[in-house]
Amino acid sequence: MKKIILLVCLFSTFLTFSQQISIDKGKYYVHGKQISSFQTKKLLASNLKALALFKEAKSKEALGGFLIGIGIGLTVSDLAMGLLSDKKYPSALTYAGIGSIVISIPILSGRRKKIVEAIDMYNKDKNILGSTNNTFDFNAISNQNGFGFQIKF
């Protein structure tokens, strides 16, 4: 039994060194090949803190984008109504749209920093060949696919 566990540990060490994520202009790369945000989220699933930061940044991005879209839509629709009818321009719709755009600025401001922090946290968690980090963790886990063992080192 000891030999089998040792062999599994040795073979799994080759897999732990292979997944370093990098960011360039808002795109995610693993070994020079671009991956999607969904695939990045799958890779970050091994580090729960990094995954939580990444999800928080993506939710900030979604909420900020939604507020900008609503703000632009309200402002443009009020401008169109002002140009095509005899209504007074700017009305409350323009002010609501500008307010929505202004509110989205602080929401969007910290998302890039959180994404970079999550990727750095994930990359630091991966052991680099020859490092002095000799931690070994063996856990029994379960998920929707079944039961299994998790080995971290």
Side-chain angles (χ1 to χ4, degrees), residues 47-67:
N47 186 333
L48 295 178
K49 290 179 184 177
L51 181 63
L53 272 174
F54 188 77
K55 283 183 176 181
E56 185 179 340
K58 286 297 185 178
S59 64
K60 284 181 81 163
E61 183 177 1
L63 180 62
F66 177 74
L67 288 174

Side-chain angles (χ1 to χ4, degrees), residues 91-107:
S91 69
L93 287 177
T94 299
Y95 297 122
I98 291 172
S100 176
I101 292 170
V102 169
I103 289 172
S104 71
I105 292 171
I107 292 174

Side-chain angles (χ1 to χ4, degrees), residues 134-149:
N134 294 326
T135 60
F136 179 77
D137 191 19
F138 184 77
N139 296 316
I141 60 169
S142 67
N143 61 19
Q144 69 271 12
N145 295 328
F147 298 99
F149 294 105

